Amino acid sequence: MYFNFREPIPINSNPGMVFAPRKFTTILDVARFAARLIDAALDHKDILNRKALPQERATSREPGQLLCMAQYYRILEASRLPGKKRDSQYVGADMRGGGQVSEHVVVICRSQLYCVPVQAGDRGRLTEDEICSQMLYILDDAPCLSSPPPVGLLTGWKRALWAEAREDLMKEEQNARNLDLITKSLLVVCLDEGLPTNFNCRLQRGGKGHTAGPRDETNLAHQMLHGGGTIHNSANRWFDKTIQLIISGDGACGLCYEHSNAEGVAVIQLVEKLWNHADSLPAHSDVPATSNSHIPPPERMEWILEATDLKRIEEAGNVLDNLIKDLDFQVYRFMGYGKEFIKSCKVSPDVYIQLALQLAYYRLYGKLTATYESASTRRFRLGRVDCIRSATPEALEWVTAMSQPKEDDLASKKVTFHLVSDEKKILLWNEAVSAQTSEMVDNILGQGIDIHILGLREAARETSPTASTPLPKLFTDSAYRIANKFLLTTSQVATNTDSFMGYGPVEDDGYGASYNPKSDCIIFCLSAFWSSEVTSTSRFVQSLEESLNAMQVLLTRPT
Ligand code: COA
């Protein structure tokens, strides 16, 4: 599913995550924070090397069942690799049998890539102080250099074109070595500049949440998703790398991650651990005590580039800039209530929010659409996700009832509508909740349909006698196409820290909608494309707010 995708991966595939901004006073604070995150990642890698990650179990719906842990072992020291027809991946643990120490991380600052060793030949792992010195060196060095060719932009290009460009780059031994170092690094750290406040000029609706100076959460999320374009931080990325930690001089912090190796749940678990470690240490940033250290400065990667390479970098930058310009994205903190209120209504918060999204969509378009919600299938070995299809007939009955005009509207329009009583709406609500809950539980227990059908389709492809042999009718029927055109792509991305994750839409005329239910609020990230004539995240947010409010009124009405 991921590797056959040929479009650029920023926005279209890589999610972005925003953490609570930090207060940095000097570049020493930035260096210290980066060093702490890397130090924590090395601790975590030690645990992975010992295969000592605690085994997780399901906490509800058949509680106690073992959950597959494979994704956790494939996040660090991992990278996606472009292919002309199909991408592939590098996972250090798979390639080397695991259990090996990581040698280096890659740090990008002002589009300049540095290889930072984390092991010293004479005494093993570097201390946090030593890593901090390396970060300080980079933060001093990079601003003094003339702008390097922004090679990282190639990773945000169409995959086949990037594969071709990479193949040519590899012909030079030095480039091949750089690419190998990036691929095999533990992770990438991007030391960014903040985006301008007017990068996304819309006023954010709902709660304000995090701000980095005057920058709102929507602005912060843009930085994490794509970097802000060639004139900002998009060249300060390596979008193929599974984990890119982003630390910006103005305090904005987050993550951009390459999705093919793992779902958000595994990635969030790792990065929250790193952040909690960095936060748990005293805020002050001592100058690193490195007097006894003889660690050479980090290696700045030099590239040998031909005119064709430079042309390709420019083209990749144009493609990415256009993609970014087209992204209509909004973070929306709904402050009316959160999962505690929903639980008090004796409904699963996830089911409730899915139905709110259905109602919001129906109110805008007068119909429902194929909806994708990711359901974890980690109860099965190597399980990733299946698809909870939330647009059920029961949901349609309920949203239709909820969208009947009020009596006074009727009077002014002089039209006769069939009014639905609150009792009837509650009855339909209960049926919609029950259908959605079964759909959700079926999926997480392995009774979903989408992965099975996908398996059949791929089996049909693999066993077809020739490439031109048509697929079985099931896969060419228009019903199959409609059912798989997900104009609403959603997922719950729950976090334990005050952070949230968002992603782009998967269809030209569709919405991406992630949500993070907190006790007393719900953080949504809504995305669409400006070039679509039918979508608008502003209108969707408005409709969602009205839907969530209407649902509360219905469920708390006096009986
Ligand atoms: N009445 C009261 N409380 C209820 C309830 C009910 N009828 N049903 C559930 N709850 C409670 C649960 O006990 C749980 O309580 P807790 O917060 O104390 O643990 C809470 O509500 C949340 O449960 P629910 O909303 O049902 O959702 P969930 O946490 O089980 O998640 C999925 C459901 C489908 C999102 C989850 O199983 C899943 O698959 N997550 C992965 C999604 C994913 O892959 N995202 C990343 C994509 S990149």
Side-chain angles (χ1 to χ4, degrees), residues 266-300:
V267 173
I268 288 169
Q269 207 246 23
L270 165 70
V271 290
E272 286 196 319
K273 183 175 172 183
L274 309 189
W275 248 266
N276 286 339
H277 168 81
D279 275 339
S280 67
L281 299 168
H284 66 270
S285 305
D286 295 332
V287 175
T290 50
S291 49
N292 294 331
S293 175
H294 302 291
I295 312 286
E299 173 191 336
R300 177 154 41 83

PDB file of all heavy atoms in Angstrom, residues 266-300:
ATOM      1  N   ALA A 266       2.673   3.403  17.642  1.00  0.00           N
ATOM      2  CA  ALA A 266       4.026   2.982  18.020  1.00  0.00           C
ATOM      3  C   ALA A 266       4.982   4.170  18.028  1.00  0.00           C
ATOM      4  O   ALA A 266       5.815   4.312  18.926  1.00  0.00           O
ATOM      5  CB  ALA A 266       4.518   1.909  17.044  1.00  0.00           C
ATOM      6  N   VAL A 267       4.838   5.031  17.036  1.00  0.00           N
ATOM      7  CA  VAL A 267       5.739   6.181  16.927  1.00  0.00           C
ATOM      8  C   VAL A 267       5.498   7.157  18.087  1.00  0.00           C
ATOM      9  O   VAL A 267       6.439   7.660  18.703  1.00  0.00           O
ATOM     10  CB  VAL A 267       5.535   6.863  15.554  1.00  0.00           C
ATOM     11  CG1 VAL A 267       6.317   8.163  15.469  1.00  0.00           C
ATOM     12  CG2 VAL A 267       5.967   5.931  14.441  1.00  0.00           C
ATOM     13  N   ILE A 268       4.222   7.378  18.394  1.00  0.00           N
ATOM     14  CA  ILE A 268       3.886   8.293  19.490  1.00  0.00           C
ATOM     15  C   ILE A 268       4.455   7.759  20.802  1.00  0.00           C
ATOM     16  O   ILE A 268       5.019   8.505  21.605  1.00  0.00           O
ATOM     17  CB  ILE A 268       2.354   8.478  19.592  1.00  0.00           C
ATOM     18  CG1 ILE A 268       1.864   9.321  18.420  1.00  0.00           C
ATOM     19  CG2 ILE A 268       1.951   9.132  20.919  1.00  0.00           C
ATOM     20  CD1 ILE A 268       0.364   9.348  18.253  1.00  0.00           C
ATOM     21  N   GLN A 269       4.340   6.465  20.996  1.00  0.00           N
ATOM     22  CA  GLN A 269       4.844   5.874  22.234  1.00  0.00           C
ATOM     23  C   GLN A 269       6.333   6.165  22.385  1.00  0.00           C
ATOM     24  O   GLN A 269       6.803   6.523  23.445  1.00  0.00           O
ATOM     25  CB  GLN A 269       4.572   4.376  22.203  1.00  0.00           C
ATOM     26  CG  GLN A 269       4.420   3.758  23.564  1.00  0.00           C
ATOM     27  CD  GLN A 269       5.563   2.774  23.827  1.00  0.00           C
ATOM     28  OE1 GLN A 269       6.624   2.870  23.216  1.00  0.00           O
ATOM     29  NE2 GLN A 269       5.328   1.863  24.738  1.00  0.00           N
ATOM     30  N   LEU A 270       7.085   6.044  21.280  1.00  0.00           N
ATOM     31  CA  LEU A 270       8.528   6.300  21.333  1.00  0.00           C
ATOM     32  C   LEU A 270       8.809   7.779  21.583  1.00  0.00           C
ATOM     33  O   LEU A 270       9.539   8.126  22.511  1.00  0.00           O
ATOM     34  CB  LEU A 270       9.194   5.866  20.009  1.00  0.00           C
ATOM     35  CG  LEU A 270      10.614   6.413  19.808  1.00  0.00           C
ATOM     36  CD1 LEU A 270      11.597   5.756  20.776  1.00  0.00           C
ATOM     37  CD2 LEU A 270      11.097   6.216  18.378  1.00  0.00           C
ATOM     38  N   VAL A 271       8.226   8.656  20.779  1.00  0.00           N
ATOM     39  CA  VAL A 271       8.635  10.070  20.893  1.00  0.00           C
ATOM     40  C   VAL A 271       8.144  10.687  22.202  1.00  0.00           C
ATOM     41  O   VAL A 271       8.816  11.552  22.769  1.00  0.00           O
ATOM     42  CB  VAL A 271       8.230  10.936  19.678  1.00  0.00           C
ATOM     43  CG1 VAL A 271       9.036  10.560  18.462  1.00  0.00           C
ATOM     44  CG2 VAL A 271       6.773  10.866  19.377  1.00  0.00           C
ATOM     45  N   GLU A 272       7.003  10.212  22.711  1.00  0.00           N
ATOM     46  CA  GLU A 272       6.567  10.745  24.012  1.00  0.00           C
ATOM     47  C   GLU A 272       7.566  10.358  25.109  1.00  0.00           C
ATOM     48  O   GLU A 272       7.844  11.133  26.016  1.00  0.00           O
ATOM     49  CB  GLU A 272       5.170  10.246  24.372  1.00  0.00           C
ATOM     50  CG  GLU A 272       4.093  10.924  23.546  1.00  0.00           C
ATOM     51  CD  GLU A 272       2.704  10.755  24.114  1.00  0.00           C
ATOM     52  OE1 GLU A 272       2.390   9.645  24.580  1.00  0.00           O
ATOM     53  OE2 GLU A 272       1.927  11.737  24.090  1.00  0.00           O
ATOM     54  N   LYS A 273       8.109   9.172  24.973  1.00  0.00           N
ATOM     55  CA  LYS A 273       9.110   8.725  25.944  1.00  0.00           C
ATOM     56  C   LYS A 273      10.341   9.642  25.875  1.00  0.00           C
ATOM     57  O   LYS A 273      10.876  10.068  26.907  1.00  0.00           O
ATOM     58  CB  LYS A 273       9.490   7.276  25.613  1.00  0.00           C
ATOM     59  CG  LYS A 273      10.459   6.658  26.569  1.00  0.00           C
ATOM     60  CD  LYS A 273      10.648   5.199  26.197  1.00  0.00           C
ATOM     61  CE  LYS A 273      11.755   4.586  27.021  1.00  0.00           C
ATOM     62  NZ  LYS A 273      12.017   3.208  26.666  1.00  0.00           N
ATOM     63  N   LEU A 274      10.788   9.967  24.666  1.00  0.00           N
ATOM     64  CA  LEU A 274      11.951  10.848  24.510  1.00  0.00           C
ATOM     65  C   LEU A 274      11.660  12.224  25.092  1.00  0.00           C
ATOM     66  O   LEU A 274      12.469  12.804  25.819  1.00  0.00           O
ATOM     67  CB  LEU A 274      12.346  10.991  23.035  1.00  0.00           C
ATOM     68  CG  LEU A 274      12.544   9.727  22.198  1.00  0.00           C
ATOM     69  CD1 LEU A 274      13.134  10.070  20.836  1.00  0.00           C
ATOM     70  CD2 LEU A 274      13.435   8.727  22.899  1.00  0.00           C
ATOM     71  N   TRP A 275      10.483  12.744  24.784  1.00  0.00           N
ATOM     72  CA  TRP A 275      10.123  14.083  25.266  1.00  0.00           C
ATOM     73  C   TRP A 275      10.001  14.102  26.790  1.00  0.00           C
ATOM     74  O   TRP A 275      10.460  15.028  27.435  1.00  0.00           O
ATOM     75  CB  TRP A 275       8.818  14.549  24.611  1.00  0.00           C
ATOM     76  CG  TRP A 275       9.061  15.698  23.675  1.00  0.00           C
ATOM     77  CD1 TRP A 275       8.961  17.020  23.972  1.00  0.00           C
ATOM     78  CD2 TRP A 275       9.479  15.634  22.302  1.00  0.00           C
ATOM     79  NE1 TRP A 275       9.290  17.776  22.866  1.00  0.00           N
ATOM     80  CE2 TRP A 275       9.605  16.952  21.831  1.00  0.00           C
ATOM     81  CE3 TRP A 275       9.762  14.599  21.421  1.00  0.00           C
ATOM     82  CZ2 TRP A 275       9.998  17.268  20.531  1.00  0.00           C
ATOM     83  CZ3 TRP A 275      10.148  14.909  20.137  1.00  0.00           C
ATOM     84  CH2 TRP A 275      10.266  16.221  19.702  1.00  0.00           C
ATOM     85  N   ASN A 276       9.370  13.063  27.339  1.00  0.00           N
ATOM     86  CA  ASN A 276       9.216  13.016  28.801  1.00  0.00           C
ATOM     87  C   ASN A 276      10.578  12.980  29.475  1.00  0.00           C
ATOM     88  O   ASN A 276      10.788  13.615  30.501  1.00  0.00           O
ATOM     89  CB  ASN A 276       8.396  11.795  29.228  1.00  0.00           C
ATOM     90  CG  ASN A 276       6.927  11.993  28.903  1.00  0.00           C
ATOM     91  OD1 ASN A 276       6.485  13.135  28.745  1.00  0.00           O
ATOM     92  ND2 ASN A 276       6.179  10.914  28.772  1.00  0.00           N
ATOM     93  N   HIS A 277      11.524  12.252  28.875  1.00  0.00           N
ATOM     94  CA  HIS A 277      12.876  12.195  29.449  1.00  0.00           C
ATOM     95  C   HIS A 277      13.496  13.599  29.421  1.00  0.00           C
ATOM     96  O   HIS A 277      14.017  14.079  30.433  1.00  0.00           O
ATOM     97  CB  HIS A 277      13.743  11.223  28.651  1.00  0.00           C
ATOM     98  CG  HIS A 277      15.200  11.319  29.001  1.00  0.00           C
ATOM     99  ND1 HIS A 277      15.735  10.702  30.110  1.00  0.00           N
ATOM    100  CD2 HIS A 277      16.221  11.990  28.405  1.00  0.00           C
ATOM    101  CE1 HIS A 277      17.036  10.981  30.176  1.00  0.00           C
ATOM    102  NE2 HIS A 277      17.350  11.758  29.153  1.00  0.00           N
ATOM    103  N   ALA A 278      13.421  14.268  28.256  1.00  0.00           N
ATOM    104  CA  ALA A 278      14.047  15.597  28.140  1.00  0.00           C
ATOM    105  C   ALA A 278      13.382  16.587  29.088  1.00  0.00           C
ATOM    106  O   ALA A 278      14.043  17.451  29.667  1.00  0.00           O
ATOM    107  CB  ALA A 278      13.965  16.076  26.701  1.00  0.00           C
ATOM    108  N   ASP A 279      12.062  16.445  29.277  1.00  0.00           N
ATOM    109  CA  ASP A 279      11.327  17.369  30.154  1.00  0.00           C
ATOM    110  C   ASP A 279      11.600  17.103  31.628  1.00  0.00           C
ATOM    111  O   ASP A 279      11.455  17.996  32.461  1.00  0.00           O
ATOM    112  CB  ASP A 279       9.812  17.230  29.922  1.00  0.00           C
ATOM    113  CG  ASP A 279       9.365  18.078  28.756  1.00  0.00           C
ATOM    114  OD1 ASP A 279      10.093  19.030  28.419  1.00  0.00           O
ATOM    115  OD2 ASP A 279       8.308  17.779  28.182  1.00  0.00           O
ATOM    116  N   SER A 280      11.962  15.865  31.955  1.00  0.00           N
ATOM    117  CA  SER A 280      12.096  15.513  33.367  1.00  0.00           C
ATOM    118  C   SER A 280      13.397  16.065  33.960  1.00  0.00           C
ATOM    119  O   SER A 280      13.578  16.084  35.162  1.00  0.00           O
ATOM    120  CB  SER A 280      12.083  13.992  33.527  1.00  0.00           C
ATOM    121  OG  SER A 280      13.254  13.465  32.944  1.00  0.00           O
ATOM    122  N   LEU A 281      14.305  16.515  33.102  1.00  0.00           N
ATOM    123  CA  LEU A 281      15.589  17.012  33.600  1.00  0.00           C
ATOM    124  C   LEU A 281      15.478  18.510  33.876  1.00  0.00           C
ATOM    125  O   LEU A 281      14.618  19.187  33.310  1.00  0.00           O
ATOM    126  CB  LEU A 281      16.677  16.735  32.563  1.00  0.00           C
ATOM    127  CG  LEU A 281      16.851  15.237  32.284  1.00  0.00           C
ATOM    128  CD1 LEU A 281      17.717  15.006  31.063  1.00  0.00           C
ATOM    129  CD2 LEU A 281      17.453  14.547  33.500  1.00  0.00           C
ATOM    130  N   PRO A 282      16.348  19.060  34.732  1.00  0.00           N
ATOM    131  CA  PRO A 282      16.254  20.472  35.067  1.00  0.00           C
ATOM    132  C   PRO A 282      16.285  21.348  33.806  1.00  0.00           C
ATOM    133  O   PRO A 282      16.991  21.021  32.847  1.00  0.00           O
ATOM    134  CB  PRO A 282      17.502  20.735  35.919  1.00  0.00           C
ATOM    135  CG  PRO A 282      18.000  19.406  36.329  1.00  0.00           C
ATOM    136  CD  PRO A 282      17.461  18.386  35.393  1.00  0.00           C
ATOM    137  N   ALA A 283      15.514  22.435  33.837  1.00  0.00           N
ATOM    138  CA  ALA A 283      15.368  23.267  32.643  1.00  0.00           C
ATOM    139  C   ALA A 283      16.669  23.978  32.267  1.00  0.00           C
ATOM    140  O   ALA A 283      16.935  24.218  31.099  1.00  0.00           O
ATOM    141  CB  ALA A 283      14.272  24.291  32.859  1.00  0.00           C
ATOM    142  N   HIS A 284      17.513  24.301  33.294  1.00  0.00           N
ATOM    143  CA  HIS A 284      18.687  25.103  32.948  1.00  0.00           C
ATOM    144  C   HIS A 284      19.660  24.288  32.084  1.00  0.00           C
ATOM    145  O   HIS A 284      19.765  23.066  32.214  1.00  0.00           O
ATOM    146  CB  HIS A 284      19.396  25.610  34.210  1.00  0.00           C
ATOM    147  CG  HIS A 284      20.005  24.506  35.021  1.00  0.00           C
ATOM    148  ND1 HIS A 284      19.324  23.866  36.016  1.00  0.00           N
ATOM    149  CD2 HIS A 284      21.218  23.909  34.954  1.00  0.00           C
ATOM    150  CE1 HIS A 284      20.099  22.921  36.543  1.00  0.00           C
ATOM    151  NE2 HIS A 284      21.250  22.930  35.918  1.00  0.00           N
ATOM    152  N   SER A 285      20.383  24.982  31.240  1.00  0.00           N
ATOM    153  CA  SER A 285      21.268  24.300  30.307  1.00  0.00           C
ATOM    154  C   SER A 285      22.705  24.652  30.610  1.00  0.00           C
ATOM    155  O   SER A 285      23.178  25.721  30.250  1.00  0.00           O
ATOM    156  CB  SER A 285      20.938  24.745  28.887  1.00  0.00           C
ATOM    157  OG  SER A 285      19.595  24.524  28.629  1.00  0.00           O
ATOM    158  N   ASP A 286      23.386  23.733  31.297  1.00  0.00           N
ATOM    159  CA  ASP A 286      24.795  23.979  31.587  1.00  0.00           C
ATOM    160  C   ASP A 286      25.613  23.913  30.309  1.00  0.00           C
ATOM    161  O   ASP A 286      25.300  23.146  29.402  1.00  0.00           O
ATOM    162  CB  ASP A 286      25.317  22.894  32.543  1.00  0.00           C
ATOM    163  CG  ASP A 286      24.626  22.991  33.889  1.00  0.00           C
ATOM    164  OD1 ASP A 286      24.212  24.102  34.239  1.00  0.00           O
ATOM    165  OD2 ASP A 286      24.492  21.945  34.560  1.00  0.00           O
ATOM    166  N   VAL A 287      26.687  24.690  30.317  1.00  0.00           N
ATOM    167  CA  VAL A 287      27.644  24.543  29.221  1.00  0.00           C
ATOM    168  C   VAL A 287      28.227  23.138  29.346  1.00  0.00           C
ATOM    169  O   VAL A 287      28.575  22.702  30.443  1.00  0.00           O
ATOM    170  CB  VAL A 287      28.755  25.609  29.350  1.00  0.00           C
ATOM    171  CG1 VAL A 287      29.817  25.393  28.277  1.00  0.00           C
ATOM    172  CG2 VAL A 287      28.153  27.005  29.258  1.00  0.00           C
ATOM    173  N   PRO A 288      28.297  22.393  28.254  1.00  0.00           N
ATOM    174  CA  PRO A 288      28.768  21.011  28.376  1.00  0.00           C
ATOM    175  C   PRO A 288      30.208  20.932  28.871  1.00  0.00           C
ATOM    176  O   PRO A 288      31.061  21.709  28.445  1.00  0.00           O
ATOM    177  CB  PRO A 288      28.648  20.465  26.949  1.00  0.00           C
ATOM    178  CG  PRO A 288      28.463  21.633  26.064  1.00  0.00           C
ATOM    179  CD  PRO A 288      27.892  22.733  26.886  1.00  0.00           C
ATOM    180  N   ALA A 289      30.427  20.000  29.806  1.00  0.00           N
ATOM    181  CA  ALA A 289      31.776  19.793  30.329  1.00  0.00           C
ATOM    182  C   ALA A 289      32.505  18.833  29.410  1.00  0.00           C
ATOM    183  O   ALA A 289      32.370  17.628  29.520  1.00  0.00           O
ATOM    184  CB  ALA A 289      31.682  19.210  31.736  1.00  0.00           C
ATOM    185  N   THR A 290      33.211  19.376  28.449  1.00  0.00           N
ATOM    186  CA  THR A 290      33.823  18.507  27.432  1.00  0.00           C
ATOM    187  C   THR A 290      35.341  18.645  27.402  1.00  0.00           C
ATOM    188  O   THR A 290      35.982  18.279  26.431  1.00  0.00           O
ATOM    189  CB  THR A 290      33.279  18.864  26.036  1.00  0.00           C
ATOM    190  OG1 THR A 290      33.401  20.270  25.872  1.00  0.00           O
ATOM    191  CG2 THR A 290      31.862  18.438  25.864  1.00  0.00           C
ATOM    192  N   SER A 291      35.900  19.176  28.502  1.00  0.00           N
ATOM    193  CA  SER A 291      37.340  19.449  28.474  1.00  0.00           C
ATOM    194  C   SER A 291      38.167  18.179  28.243  1.00  0.00           C
ATOM    195  O   SER A 291      39.201  18.212  27.609  1.00  0.00           O
ATOM    196  CB  SER A 291      37.760  20.139  29.764  1.00  0.00           C
ATOM    197  OG  SER A 291      37.241  19.424  30.854  1.00  0.00           O
ATOM    198  N   ASN A 292      37.657  17.023  28.748  1.00  0.00           N
ATOM    199  CA  ASN A 292      38.445  15.793  28.592  1.00  0.00           C
ATOM    200  C   ASN A 292      38.116  15.062  27.292  1.00  0.00           C
ATOM    201  O   ASN A 292      38.617  13.995  27.014  1.00  0.00           O
ATOM    202  CB  ASN A 292      38.168  14.826  29.755  1.00  0.00           C
ATOM    203  CG  ASN A 292      38.675  15.408  31.048  1.00  0.00           C
ATOM    204  OD1 ASN A 292      39.631  16.180  31.028  1.00  0.00           O
ATOM    205  ND2 ASN A 292      38.027  15.069  32.150  1.00  0.00           N
ATOM    206  N   SER A 293      37.194  15.648  26.553  1.00  0.00           N
ATOM    207  CA  SER A 293      36.706  14.934  25.383  1.00  0.00           C
ATOM    208  C   SER A 293      37.569  15.244  24.155  1.00  0.00           C
ATOM    209  O   SER A 293      37.971  16.372  23.949  1.00  0.00           O
ATOM    210  CB  SER A 293      35.267  15.357  25.134  1.00  0.00           C
ATOM    211  OG  SER A 293      34.837  14.778  23.970  1.00  0.00           O
ATOM    212  N   HIS A 294      37.846  14.215  23.389  1.00  0.00           N
ATOM    213  CA  HIS A 294      38.620  14.449  22.160  1.00  0.00           C
ATOM    214  C   HIS A 294      37.783  14.014  20.963  1.00  0.00           C
ATOM    215  O   HIS A 294      38.295  13.432  20.014  1.00  0.00           O
ATOM    216  CB  HIS A 294      39.936  13.669  22.215  1.00  0.00           C
ATOM    217  CG  HIS A 294      40.755  14.039  23.410  1.00  0.00           C
ATOM    218  ND1 HIS A 294      41.353  15.273  23.529  1.00  0.00           N
ATOM    219  CD2 HIS A 294      41.042  13.373  24.547  1.00  0.00           C
ATOM    220  CE1 HIS A 294      41.985  15.330  24.705  1.00  0.00           C
ATOM    221  NE2 HIS A 294      41.794  14.191  25.339  1.00  0.00           N
ATOM    222  N   ILE A 295      36.524  14.257  21.047  1.00  0.00           N
ATOM    223  CA  ILE A 295      35.646  13.843  19.945  1.00  0.00           C
ATOM    224  C   ILE A 295      35.824  14.846  18.802  1.00  0.00           C
ATOM    225  O   ILE A 295      35.681  16.045  19.015  1.00  0.00           O
ATOM    226  CB  ILE A 295      34.168  13.882  20.382  1.00  0.00           C
ATOM    227  CG1 ILE A 295      33.968  13.196  21.722  1.00  0.00           C
ATOM    228  CG2 ILE A 295      33.254  13.325  19.312  1.00  0.00           C
ATOM    229  CD1 ILE A 295      34.037  11.725  21.700  1.00  0.00           C
ATOM    230  N   PRO A 296      36.103  14.371  17.613  1.00  0.00           N
ATOM    231  CA  PRO A 296      36.208  15.315  16.488  1.00  0.00           C
ATOM    232  C   PRO A 296      34.846  15.939  16.189  1.00  0.00           C
ATOM    233  O   PRO A 296      33.815  15.360  16.545  1.00  0.00           O
ATOM    234  CB  PRO A 296      36.689  14.434  15.329  1.00  0.00           C
ATOM    235  CG  PRO A 296      36.383  13.051  15.721  1.00  0.00           C
ATOM    236  CD  PRO A 296      36.293  12.981  17.217  1.00  0.00           C
ATOM    237  N   PRO A 297      34.818  17.123  15.575  1.00  0.00           N
ATOM    238  CA  PRO A 297      33.523  17.737  15.266  1.00  0.00           C
ATOM    239  C   PRO A 297      32.738  16.860  14.284  1.00  0.00           C
ATOM    240  O   PRO A 297      33.326  16.040  13.570  1.00  0.00           O
ATOM    241  CB  PRO A 297      33.897  19.075  14.614  1.00  0.00           C
ATOM    242  CG  PRO A 297      35.310  18.937  14.203  1.00  0.00           C
ATOM    243  CD  PRO A 297      35.941  17.917  15.088  1.00  0.00           C
ATOM    244  N   PRO A 298      31.428  17.023  14.252  1.00  0.00           N
ATOM    245  CA  PRO A 298      30.628  16.189  13.337  1.00  0.00           C
ATOM    246  C   PRO A 298      31.000  16.467  11.884  1.00  0.00           C
ATOM    247  O   PRO A 298      31.387  17.582  11.548  1.00  0.00           O
ATOM    248  CB  PRO A 298      29.192  16.632  13.626  1.00  0.00           C
ATOM    249  CG  PRO A 298      29.291  17.917  14.346  1.00  0.00           C
ATOM    250  CD  PRO A 298      30.607  17.962  15.019  1.00  0.00           C
ATOM    251  N   GLU A 299      30.829  15.426  11.082  1.00  0.00           N
ATOM    252  CA  GLU A 299      31.208  15.551   9.665  1.00  0.00           C
ATOM    253  C   GLU A 299      30.080  16.224   8.876  1.00  0.00           C
ATOM    254  O   GLU A 299      28.948  15.761   8.900  1.00  0.00           O
ATOM    255  CB  GLU A 299      31.453  14.133   9.120  1.00  0.00           C
ATOM    256  CG  GLU A 299      31.677  14.073   7.641  1.00  0.00           C
ATOM    257  CD  GLU A 299      31.640  12.637   7.124  1.00  0.00           C
ATOM    258  OE1 GLU A 299      31.884  11.688   7.899  1.00  0.00           O
ATOM    259  OE2 GLU A 299      31.343  12.472   5.934  1.00  0.00           O
ATOM    260  N   ARG A 300      30.413  17.328   8.227  1.00  0.00           N
ATOM    261  CA  ARG A 300      29.432  17.988   7.343  1.00  0.00           C
ATOM    262  C   ARG A 300      29.431  17.250   6.012  1.00  0.00           C
ATOM    263  O   ARG A 300      30.488  16.999   5.440  1.00  0.00           O
ATOM    264  CB  ARG A 300      29.823  19.440   7.161  1.00  0.00           C
ATOM    265  CG  ARG A 300      28.940  20.217   6.229  1.00  0.00           C
ATOM    266  CD  ARG A 300      28.930  21.712   6.542  1.00  0.00           C
ATOM    267  NE  ARG A 300      30.225  22.262   6.881  1.00  0.00           N
ATOM    268  CZ  ARG A 300      31.140  22.644   5.987  1.00  0.00           C
ATOM    269  NH1 ARG A 300      30.907  22.496   4.699  1.00  0.00           N
ATOM    270  NH2 ARG A 300      32.284  23.169   6.378  1.00  0.00           N
TER     271      ARG A 300
END
